[in-house]
Amino acid sequence: MSRIAHVATICAALAMSLPAYAQTPAAPPAAGKIANDMVKIGVLTDMSGQFSHESGEGSVTAVKMAVEDFGGKVLGKPIEVIVADHQNKTEIAIAKAKEWFDVDKVDMIANLINSAVAIGVAGVAKEKNGIAIINGSGSSRLTGDMCTPNSIHYAYDTYALAVGTGNALIKQGKKNWFFLTADYAFGHALEADTASVVKAGGGSVVGSVRYPINTLDHGSFMLQAQGSGADVIAVAGSGTVFINAVKAAHDFGLTQSGKQSLAGLLVWITDIHSMGLENAQGLVLTNAFYWDRDDETRAFSKRFEARMGRKPHMGDAGDYSSTILYLKAVEAAGTDEAQAVMAKMREMKVNDFFAKNGYIRADGRFIHDMYVYQVKSPSESKGPWDYYKLVQVIPGEQAFRPLSQSQCPLIKK
């Protein structure tokens, strides 16, 4: 997709979702009731495109595991999980969300990787009085100017990624930054949030270049970054394009020179597995979850790997944890009516393998600790998936944008 076409798609999605904010939600079911005698969860994700390794079958598996572990029923009614591939096309995602809420009577839509998709579907959830829980997408606008009373941003966001990785490298004295940025909503937000952290820490942005979302060859971009003299080359992108960028950096000798550091501003452990430690070693990253963090994470990851053939990442863990939270809230509310369930989720604390004392703020942001890691060298790794060493734990209250800086219209200033 060309840059112009992609931008047009995002604009169209926002145009479709924005009017929804003024509309009156549908009438709720009677208290203590489950509409249509079923709670239905829709996993709307990328099943086949460049983000499918960060969502796709993994997100579906995580949601289904949560439903099974909950017992398959809530308030005596069955829980059904349905799946659709949005193909990274915002117009497809919005149309499917409307169909799910109107025709299929879906109560909650999960995952929503691709930030333009997530922003659009969050608007539909508000219009239709459904619920959207976002784990795949990262744009901090989801709890900023595009927040809704019907959506939750759960696993991570661009602000938290920027705070973790940006501050970690600034503290190492690496203050001059160059950005390789994916040219879509998520990439733009990630660059903006990280640049703010860099400048606040006394650093500077010496240059940036934006690459089309489906770029395969990063050679010319990497040469430009290398020639900038920046201390840090920061890749503000995700998926297979991010993997190609890291491989290009290795091919051009950028990481081996010792003069410049490569920062992955959104890194999934599946990315590291795909590119190999030889290419990824030394990469600094921020994450919400690592399978080998403690006994609880290892126990969940063992069960997940038995079904998926790989370790889970923060999106998988977030999809599981947030689905359990949603079902507990339905049970506590005595109904699947969206606002009643949202109110219960905001009251609850989450204490599971994903988060300790996690909670949902008024802007829909799920607050929990974040972690800064560095990728191990091949000699440091003890085997498959042993990829990270802990650099820093960032408390949740420090990891995410403070409400005093929020542009969310739900927050009273």
Side-chain angles (χ1 to χ4, degrees):
M1 180 183 292
S2 69
R3 176 179 176 179
I4 293 174
H6 192 73
V7 171
T9 297
I10 294 173
C11 291
L14 297 181
M16 293 176 73
S17 60
L18 281 171
Y21 291 80
Q23 297 187 24
T24 302
K33 299 290 186 179
I34 296 296
N36 307 299
D37 291 324
M38 177 180 292
V39 170
K40 190 172 289 190
I41 298 170
V43 183
L44 188 53
T45 187
D46 176 3
M47 295 297 294
S48 55
Q50 69 156 304
F51 302 128
S52 57
H53 293 293
E54 292 79 43
S55 55
E57 288 293 346
S59 61
V60 175
T61 296
V63 171
K64 288 184 175 180
M65 284 177 65
V67 170
E68 292 167 13
D69 289 350
F70 199 79
K73 291 185 177 182
V74 59
L75 298 174
K77 303 299 183 181
I79 306 163
E80 182 181 354
V81 178
I82 61 175
V83 180
D85 184 352
H86 59 54
Q87 302 173 47
N88 291 305
K89 295 179 180 178
T90 314
E91 65 275 16
I92 290 177
I94 288 175
K96 178 55 68 173
K98 289 181 176 181
E99 176 187 328
W100 273 359
F101 286 134
D102 286 341
V103 179
D104 296 314
K105 306 304 179 184
V106 165
D107 297 288
M108 186 269 278
I109 298 180
N111 189 256
L112 295 170
I113 199 162
N114 185 315
S115 290
V117 163
I119 289 170
V121 173
V124 176
K126 169 63 174 69
E127 175 188 351
K128 304 296 183 181
N129 198 35
I131 292 175
I133 302 183
I134 300 140
N135 275 290
S137 306
S139 175
S140 59
R141 293 187 66 195
L142 285 158
T143 52
D145 63 319
M146 300 303 293
C147 73
T148 85
N150 293 65
S151 55
I152 297 167
H153 203 184
Y154 203 82
Y156 73 100
D157 68 19
T158 52
Y159 183 91
L161 299 179
V163 166
T165 305
N167 282 332
L169 289 168
I170 287 287
K171 288 177 181 178
Q172 295 177 20
K174 298 173 180 179
K175 295 192 172 184
N176 297 318
W177 288 56
F178 186 100
F179 287 91
L180 289 176
T181 302
D183 195 11
Y184 70 117
F186 165 76
H188 300 169
L190 188 49
E191 178 184 339
D193 283 336
T194 308
S196 294
V197 169
V198 169
K199 292 172 183 176
S204 63
V205 177
V206 299
S208 65
V209 61
R210 290 181 173 177
Y211 59 83
I213 189 173
N214 292 319
T215 298
L216 296 177
D217 184 1
H218 280 77
S220 62
F221 301 131
M222 201 58 66
L223 281 173
Q224 188 174 342
Q226 197 169 23
S228 70
D231 301 319
V232 179
I233 311 301
V235 184
S238 183
T240 55
V241 176
F242 166 73
I243 295 171
N244 292 338
V246 175
K247 288 180 177 178
H250 185 269
D251 291 343
F252 280 90
L254 188 151
T255 49
Q256 298 94 310
S257 68
K259 298 178 181 179
Q260 295 177 303
S261 296
L262 189 69
L265 298 181
L266 174 57
V267 182
W268 307 86
I269 198 168
T270 46
D271 297 337
I272 305 301
H273 193 70
S274 296
M275 70 180 75
L277 291 181
E278 185 65 33
N279 289 304
Q281 60 183 309
L283 195 65
V284 176
L285 58 100
T286 302
N287 220 278
F289 172 84
Y290 181 44
W291 71 270
D292 201 20
R293 190 173 73 222
D294 56 39
D295 289 343
E296 286 183 283
T297 59
R298 285 187 284 272
F300 169 75
S301 300
K302 183 178 180 180
R303 293 199 300 128
F304 182 90
E305 187 176 18
R307 297 174 67 148
M308 278 297 297
R310 64 162 175 83
K311 298 295 186 186
H313 49 57
M314 64 178 171
D316 304 319
D319 279 324
Y320 178 98
S321 176
S322 59
T323 300
I324 291 287
L325 175 62
Y326 168 76
L327 294 172
K328 285 182 176 179
V330 171
E331 187 173 61
T335 177
D336 57 354
E337 192 277 318
Q339 293 310 311
V341 175
M342 288 291 298
K344 286 297 179 182
M345 283 195 285
R346 292 190 193 99
E347 293 174 5
M348 293 177 169
K349 286 288 183 75
V350 175
N351 283 286
D352 61 9
F353 69 88
F354 182 78
K356 299 302 178 189
N357 294 313
Y359 65 93
I360 298 168
R361 291 192 314 202
D363 61 348
R365 176 67 259 165
F366 180 59
I367 303 298
H368 57 88
D369 292 350
M370 295 289 289
Y371 305 86
V372 181
Y373 294 104
Q374 186 171 33
V375 178
K376 293 181 177 182
S377 66
S379 62
E380 291 174 309
S381 176
K382 298 177 182 178
W385 302 101
D386 178 28
Y387 296 154
Y388 295 164
K389 49 188 177 183
L390 183 65
V391 174
Q392 180 186 1
V393 179
I394 309 173
E397 295 289 348
Q398 299 173 24
F400 297 96
R401 192 187 310 277
L403 285 179
S404 60
Q405 299 175 16
S406 176
Q407 296 181 0
C408 173
L410 301 174
I411 304 303
K412 296 180 181 179
K413 297 293 182 68

